[in-house]
Amino acid sequence: MAVKELKTLSAVEIGRLIKNREVSCKEVTNYYLGEINNNNNEINAVLAVNGEKAVKTAESIQKRINNGEDISPLAGVPVIIKDNICTKNLRTTAASKMLENFIPPYSAGVMEKLEHAGAVVIAKANMDEFAMGGSTETSSFGITKNPWNKQYVPGGSSGGSAAAVAANMSPYALGSDTGGSIRQPCSFCNLTGIKPTYGSVSRYGLMAYASSLDQIGPIGKNVQDCAEVLALISGLDKRDSTAIMDKPFDFSNSYEEDLKGIKIGIPKNYFGNGLNTEVSEKILAAAGVLKGLGAEIQEFEMPGIEYAVPAYYIVACAEASSNLSRYDGIKYGFTSKNANDLQETYYKSRSEGFGSEVKRRIMLGSFVLSSGYFDAYYKKALQVRTMIKENFNKAFEKYDMILSPVSPTTAYKIGEQISDPIAMYMADIYTVSINLAGIPAIALPCGVSDENKMPIGMQLIGNNFAEPTLVRAAYAYQQVTDFHKRGGIL
């Protein structure tokens, strides 16, 4: 086949071609490295390219395939990795001046699993600094643009990962999701992404933002790509005490084309004021498609959503203030050259090394953890978190999954909201509760706005470790729709 035709194929389809020796690993790798070279100057989705090493890796995987090894469905397929996931001997910065020249001496647990499965790491993706942001505008290394329209943001914090896949720089990518950072960029860039159950994927080697919320997950062109990636990276890792799955996910029975017996709940209070009319219409139309596939659809009231955003930002910022205290200008990372003593080293290194959004969240986190305000804010936020989890538990007694919006709007223009942190935070209203509860969700395309021609996404939310059921519903939906196959105006 002509290598240029790869852009029309999914990661699983490319893996099948490689396995059948219709195209070589090296040809595929060189093709996507070329796409990065052609497109990244305009999109700024990639921060570091792993070119020479990627080609050598592709050649070694090809030898294994030629020798008859059955490695994995994605053997030889290139991948781009979010820049807060450690990659041995490849610069990993979390898009921060604080770690501008950091080269990890080890790889994250998910990287070891991907490399064992024959993945070819071709680049690291831009992101909001330390994953703090919802638009990939807080990166120390420049704004990432949405390939659908370069005047718009790609979402965040995994905006570089999503933009790279949408711009055909890679068949799939890894992101991390603390409060919607995989799902919202997928919604903005017309992609599919999975935020897995907390504890199903190792966080070893993930630069921590909020340890009780962070989870690594896949971003791809369709749900089968994402499922196959999640099957590779999920499972036990003894170096991460929160990784509690003994075995990886098995999606072999998830690729069904009907939804008979599946009950889907729609929280009617999610569809009130603040939700864009077009977004609401497209998601309710998707509910009709799911019903046509055999699913039973019911509306219900989901209490507590109004408390999700404040509770999330209190918990996340508190954990961030603790996690980021390690960046002190002494052990590793950026050290100010303007400091004259130890106290100045701490103060100036952190002042100069962190961007404004990171500093804002550190200060908020330090405030809610302080002795005078711990009970008033942090303790109450934890109580709200428990309430949100209980509300989801009650919903899942009746429904197999919940259908909801991902974001109240489609992608907005670059610079439009970055100066209004409250507006940015409130845009997370449909995503943060999933992280507080630790449950899984899949974001997938369900339409395009008539107004600004930008993608619209929906999310399917499940109970703990219900990923196979969510994949089944998303797969059935994508078999009868073509939204996920549409491209923008790159």
Side-chain angles (χ1 to χ4, degrees):
M1 66 164 290
V3 177
K4 64 181 180 180
E5 294 175 17
L6 292 173
K7 69 184 298 181
T8 65
L9 303 179
S10 69
V12 169
E13 289 169 335
I14 294 170
R16 195 175 297 127
L17 290 176
I18 291 171
K19 185 176 181 179
N20 294 336
R21 303 183 198 179
E22 296 178 49
V23 65
S24 73
C25 299
K26 185 175 180 180
E27 287 175 321
V28 174
T29 299
N30 280 329
Y31 169 76
Y32 282 104
L33 289 172
E35 290 296 293
I36 292 172
N37 186 57
N38 293 337
N39 295 323
N40 195 54
N41 284 342
E42 288 190 61
I43 302 298
N44 195 34
V46 163
L47 296 181
V49 180
N50 195 32
E52 188 177 330
K53 187 178 177 183
V55 172
K56 289 181 179 178
T57 301
E59 290 173 340
S60 67
I61 293 168
Q62 189 67 55
K63 288 179 182 177
R64 293 172 63 187
I65 292 171
N66 293 344
N67 290 333
E69 285 189 49
D70 187 11
I71 308 170
S72 82
L74 297 177
V77 181
V79 59
I80 287 178
I81 308 298
K82 188 175 180 180
D83 206 36
N84 60 346
I85 300 171
C86 286
T87 45
K88 186 176 181 180
N89 298 327
L90 180 60
R91 191 174 66 129
T92 303
T93 69
S96 177
K97 182 179 178 182
M98 184 63 78
L99 291 171
E100 187 171 6
N101 299 307
F102 178 61
I103 299 177
Y106 69 98
S107 283
V110 294
M111 296 309 307
E112 293 175 351
K113 290 181 178 182
L114 277 184
E115 289 163 2
H116 178 74
V120 180
V121 178
I122 56 172
K124 301 302 291 290
N126 201 3
M127 55 182 284
D128 283 298
E129 184 182 7
F130 279 102
M132 298 183 193
S135 61
T136 317
E137 293 177 280
T138 71
S139 169
S140 297
F141 307 115
I143 295 166
T144 297
K145 299 174 183 177
N146 192 319
W148 273 67
N149 187 328
K150 293 184 282 267
Q151 296 180 8
Y152 288 75
V153 301
S157 63
S158 304
S161 297
V165 177
N168 194 44
M169 298 183 200
S170 177
Y172 72 100
L174 285 192
S176 67
D177 193 311
T178 307
S181 292
I182 286 172
R183 289 161 287 152
Q184 188 235 36
C186 285
S187 178
F188 283 7
C189 293
N190 206 61
L191 299 170
T192 303
I194 301 178
K195 181 269 165 193
T197 301
Y198 186 83
S200 63
V201 177
S202 171
R203 292 185 302 106
Y204 174 77
L206 173 67
M207 294 178 179
Y209 161 21
S211 302
S212 74
L213 303 167
D214 299 336
Q215 194 74 130
I216 297 170
I219 293 172
K221 294 179 180 178
N222 61 42
V223 73
Q224 187 175 9
D225 281 2
C226 293
E228 294 300 329
V229 176
L230 184 55
L232 295 178
I233 65 174
S234 58
L236 196 63
D237 185 342
K238 293 182 179 179
R239 296 163 298 187
D240 177 11
S241 61
T242 65
I244 55 176
M245 280 185 68
D246 291 332
K247 296 179 181 179
F249 284 112
D250 180 1
F251 296 105
S252 57
N253 296 319
S254 296
Y255 305 127
E256 299 182 24
E257 297 187 11
D258 74 76
L259 298 178
K260 292 176 182 176
I262 298 292
K263 291 184 178 181
I264 300 176
I266 300 180
K268 56 186 177 182
N269 55 318
Y270 281 29
F271 290 81
N273 294 333
L275 180 64
N276 177 276
T277 302
E278 279 194 296
V279 173
S280 177
E281 289 173 352
K282 299 295 185 185
I283 293 170
L284 293 176
V289 174
L290 294 168
K291 184 176 181 179
L293 291 166
E296 182 181 340
I297 309 290
Q298 291 182 1
E299 288 188 344
F300 74 104
E301 193 82 18
M302 173 64 85
I305 186 173
E306 64 271 27
Y307 305 118
V309 171
Y312 167 81
Y313 276 98
I314 289 171
V315 172
C317 292
E319 294 185 16
S321 72
S322 176
N323 280 324
L324 271 64
S325 64
R326 70 191 70 179
Y327 304 107
D328 56 9
I330 302 293
K331 302 180 189 72
Y332 59 91
F334 175 79
T335 302
S336 175
K337 295 180 180 179
N338 303 315
N340 297 312
D341 55 36
L342 183 62
Q343 187 169 346
E344 277 196 2
T345 298
Y346 291 148
Y347 173 74
K348 292 188 175 181
S349 295
R350 291 170 68 80
S351 295
E352 296 167 21
F354 289 135
S356 58
E357 182 61 32
V358 173
K359 285 187 277 194
R360 181 184 293 117
R361 299 194 191 196
I362 289 173
M363 289 189 289
L364 177 58
S366 299
F367 174 78
V368 300
L369 289 175
S370 60
S371 58
Y373 299 96
F374 182 90
D375 287 346
Y377 292 101
Y378 185 68
K379 187 175 179 180
K380 283 186 178 177
L382 294 182
Q383 291 171 336
V384 170
R385 183 178 192 172
T386 300
M387 178 195 73
I388 288 171
K389 176 58 176 170
E390 289 173 351
N391 289 339
F392 274 115
N393 288 342
K394 290 176 183 176
F396 292 128
E397 289 175 3
K398 298 180 180 178
Y399 308 110
D400 296 296
M401 64 190 70
I402 295 167
L403 172 65
S404 95
V406 176
S407 174
T409 66
T410 56
Y412 43 86
K413 287 187 176 181
I414 291 169
E416 192 174 315
Q417 292 193 20
I418 191 66
S419 60
D420 188 351
I422 301 301
M424 293 280 284
Y425 297 169
M426 289 308 296
D428 298 333
I429 189 167
Y430 299 116
T431 55
V432 295
S433 57
I434 282 85
N435 297 78
L436 287 169
I439 55 180
I442 295 179
L444 63 160
C446 65
V448 177
S449 167
D450 293 327
E451 183 179 343
N452 62 8
K453 309 303 179 187
M454 298 302 286
I456 294 171
M458 64 179 185
Q459 67 177 339
L460 296 169
I461 307 162
N463 207 349
N464 291 332
F465 306 105
E467 281 86 338
T469 304
L470 295 180
V471 167
R472 177 186 168 188
Y475 179 82
Y477 179 80
Q478 291 187 336
Q479 295 310 295
V480 296
T481 59
D482 68 346
F483 301 117
H484 62 290
K485 296 179 180 179
R486 300 182 187 182
I489 55 172
L490 177 66

